[in-house]
Every structure is written in C-alpha cells, then in structure tokens.
Amino acid sequence: MKYRNLEAVARMKADFDRQGAMASMGIVVGDVAPGRVVLEMPFHPGFTQHHGFMHAAVITAGMDSACGFAAFTLMDADAEVLTVEFKCNFMAPAKGPHFRFEGEVVKSGRTLSFTQGRAVAVDGDTETTVATITATMMAVRGLKG
C-alpha cells in the first residue's frame, strides 16, 4: 500500500482528541501509522453489561473509531471521515484489565475506504481477541466551517 503524507497522522491525533465519547470511555491513541490505528482502554466498571463484561457497545465504539481513524490517515487534507456501515462478530466475553482496539485499511479510495479491525482483551501476557469488525468509511468534504 502506498502511504500518503504523514501530516495526516498529526491531523488524526488532533481530530481524535476532539471526541467526547472516546475521552468519556478513557480510550486513548496507543499507536498510529498511515493506514493503521491502535487505541487503548483500561477496564471501567461503569461500562459493563449485566454479567460484568465490557459492554458490546463500548467494544464496538472502540473498533469503529480505530477503523475510522485508520482510514482518515490516508485521506486528503480537506476530507473528514464518517462511518458508512460495519459488521461486528463477538468471539469471547470482553473481560480483562485492559483493551486494545486495532483498525487497518484494506483498501483506500477517494470516497470509500474498506477497513478491518479487532478488539483484544489484555491481561498481562495473555491476549484474547474478543471481537472483529469490517467497516466501510466515507471521506466527506465541506464539514469544516
């Protein structure tokens, strides 16, 4: 894959930091490169479902954001990113002291980008993939005022 300009990485971090949802959930940028974003989150009991596992909505939000911002790093400077659609599969209960959300671009286009990702529960040296995602992202122009 041919990467575009690395200034997009700095733009991605600035846009990510403007999100109230990610800040509220304690999700932060762990790593970023053109076409790939890793987000991290500590366990928080306020975001669990009735069995004490991290809620699927939180896991989905983390994966969606990782994929969206992975696509954003390959977009031109006048574009913003919005999710068009996604599909998630949950494979294991989301339990553990730490979570990682990975997103990567499969194919980047001028308007649509196709991404994939996963959510990983991290407990010391043990890592468990708890969910996967495939998502389509759209480059939208003219949102900045």
Side-chain angles (χ1 to χ4, degrees), residues 22-94:
M22 295 295 109
S24 294
M25 289 185 277
I27 298 176
V28 298
V29 176
D31 190 29
V32 59
R36 180 169 166 73
V37 169
V38 177
L39 305 177
E40 298 176 347
M41 176 186 168
F43 176 83
H44 188 289
F47 299 118
T48 59
Q49 44 83 292
H50 59 289
H51 297 295
F53 304 127
M54 193 63 66
H55 197 284
V58 175
I59 298 298
T60 301
M63 291 189 301
D64 173 53
S65 197
C67 286
F69 279 107
F72 183 71
T73 65
L74 298 178
M75 292 178 182
D76 54 72
D78 65 337
E80 292 291 330
V81 66
L82 291 175
T83 302
V84 174
E85 63 81 34
F86 61 71
K87 179 185 186 311
C88 299
N89 291 301
F90 292 86
M91 303 172 186

Side-chain angles (χ1 to χ4, degrees), residues 77-125:
D78 65 337
E80 292 291 330
V81 66
L82 291 175
T83 302
V84 174
E85 63 81 34
F86 61 71
K87 179 185 186 311
C88 299
N89 291 301
F90 292 86
M91 303 172 186
K95 61 181 179 179
H98 189 78
F99 296 90
R100 185 175 67 238
F101 308 105
E102 303 169 356
E104 68 180 332
V105 175
V106 176
K107 182 174 184 332
S108 178
R110 175 168 163 69
T111 303
L112 295 178
S113 294
F114 302 93
T115 65
Q116 64 187 11
R118 68 184 188 139
V120 179
V122 181
D123 189 355
D125 291 336

